[in-house]
């Protein structure tokens, strides 16, 4: 890895960790949650029971679909409670988030998965989706 990439990777890792802990914390509360603690127990169990990459990949595809659906439902609930101007801001935010996740996946592939053998990129995508859903859920709770 080039020395120029190390600061970028550290910044990305710290930013992702900050998003995860910011949602999990209440003011004044310290959190020691790891990013991987955000995943559902069923997903973790599936990965643990998987025999090889093909079965792990199937677990990831199933979990990504579950988390995408959960994110969609939360997005729709939040959208319904908004004015047209707020909804426009939400749409812009969601579009920017999608662009970020695609760029993050490209970075992960470039660094970790040039041969298509590392499943970390898919796992990171799942965690980012979980984080986004939690952030939108937090906004839902603030608007009620």
């Amino acid at each position: 890895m080039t020395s120029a990439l190390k600061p970028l990777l550290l910044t990305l890792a710290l930013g992702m960790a900050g998003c995860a802990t910011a949602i999990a914390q209440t003011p004044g509360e310290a959190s020691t949650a790891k990013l991987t603690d955000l995943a559902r127990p069923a997903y973790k169990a599936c990965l643990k029971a998987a025999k090889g990459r093909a079965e792990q990949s199937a677990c990831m595809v199933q979990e990504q679909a579950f988390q995408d659906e959960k994110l969609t439902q939360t997005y729709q609930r939040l959208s319904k409670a908004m004015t047209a101007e707020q909804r426009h801001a939400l749409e812009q935010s969601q579009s920017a988030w999608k662009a970020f996740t695609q760029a993050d996946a490209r970075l992960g592939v470039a660094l970790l998965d040039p041969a298509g053998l590392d499943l970390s990129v898919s796992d990171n995508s799942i965690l980012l989706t979980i984080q986004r859903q939690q952030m939108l859920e937090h906004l839902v709770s603030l608007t009620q």
Side-chain angles (χ1 to χ4, degrees), residues 2-144:
T2 66
S3 61
L5 284 177
K6 288 180 184 179
L8 174 62
L9 291 175
L10 180 60
T11 302
L12 285 172
L14 290 173
M16 288 174 42
C19 290
T21 56
I23 297 301
Q25 293 178 20
T26 56
E29 177 185 326
S31 175
T32 58
K34 296 178 184 177
L35 285 175
T36 53
D37 290 343
L38 298 175
R40 291 183 314 146
Y43 171 56
K44 291 179 184 180
C46 184
L47 288 177
K48 188 174 183 177
K51 294 177 179 82
R53 290 187 187 280
E55 288 182 16
Q56 288 175 332
S57 180
C59 295
M60 291 176 170
V61 167
Q62 181 181 14
E63 185 66 10
Q64 186 68 61
F66 175 86
Q67 295 301 339
D68 285 343
E69 179 59 28
K70 192 173 174 183
L71 175 60
T72 298
Q73 291 171 0
T74 304
Y75 179 94
Q76 290 171 348
R77 279 196 351 258
L78 180 60
S79 180
K80 287 179 185 177
M82 297 177 137
T83 65
E85 184 178 331
Q86 291 169 332
R87 210 170 1 268
H88 179 70
L90 174 63
E91 290 165 0
Q92 288 181 317
S93 173
Q94 191 71 0
S95 178
W97 176 79
K98 286 178 182 179
F100 165 75
T101 60
Q102 291 167 357
D104 188 68
R106 285 191 300 273
L107 173 63
V109 167
L111 292 173
L112 304 172
D113 196 25
L117 301 174
D118 192 320
L119 298 176
S120 298
V121 174
S122 294
D123 197 48
N124 288 344
S125 176
I126 292 166
L127 294 174
L128 287 172
T129 304
I130 293 168
Q131 288 176 322
R132 179 65 176 175
Q133 187 277 329
Q134 289 178 337
M135 292 173 72
L136 294 184
E137 190 66 50
H138 181 67
L139 290 175
V140 168
S141 72
L142 293 174
T143 60
Q144 294 177 346

